[in-house]
């Protein structure tokens, strides 16, 4: 069973991305939880335990950049992933106005 965290970094500012709205959902679209990244760009989402299965994190990237007066290409970044028996799952997002990348963190 899994505990989920994320960390959003703004590559253009070279700083954590505070204030990014993030939604955790089942891959079928049913929302589980939503919250906003803290001053360090970090966030814990969902219940203490996520059952094995397929999920998605959706980051409101367009709103984040608009609030800073920066034009951007992606209104949201959605990352789909599978939970399979992990005790902790960290899904970071490296963000710029016209691109993003992610990986399975630790």
């Amino acid at each position: 069973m899994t505990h989920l965290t994320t960390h959003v970094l703004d590559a253009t500012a070279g700083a954590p991305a505070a204030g990014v709205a993030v939604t955790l959902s089942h891959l079928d679209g049913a929302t589980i939880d939503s919250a906003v990244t803290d001053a360090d760009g970090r966030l814990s989402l969902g219940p203490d335990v996520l059952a094995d299965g397929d999920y998605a994190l959706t980051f409101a990237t367009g709103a984040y950049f608009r609030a800073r007066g920066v034009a951007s290409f992606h209104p949201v970044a959605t990352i789909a992933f599978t939970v399979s028996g992990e005790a902790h799952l960290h899904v970071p997002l490296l963000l710029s106005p016209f691109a993003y990348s992610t990986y399975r963190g630790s």
Side-chain angles (χ1 to χ4, degrees), residues 3-98:
H3 173 73
L4 177 69
T5 58
T6 187
H7 188 198
V8 184
L9 300 169
D10 182 337
T12 56
V20 177
V22 183
T23 301
L24 170 66
S25 60
H26 290 282
L27 208 51
D28 67 8
T31 299
I32 298 168
D33 195 10
S34 60
V36 176
T37 56
D38 65 14
D40 195 34
R42 294 181 184 273
L43 181 61
S44 262
L45 278 171
D48 288 338
V49 174
L50 277 178
D52 289 357
D54 297 327
Y55 297 89
L57 282 173
T58 300
F59 299 82
T61 54
Y64 168 79
F65 283 116
R66 273 192 304 279
R68 283 145 189 79
V70 176
S72 65
F73 182 69
H74 300 284
V76 297
T78 299
I79 300 165
F81 58 95
T82 300
V83 172
S84 180
E86 298 88 352
H88 178 253
L89 188 60
H90 185 64
V91 183
L93 179 69
L94 182 60
L95 183 60
S96 79
F98 301 102

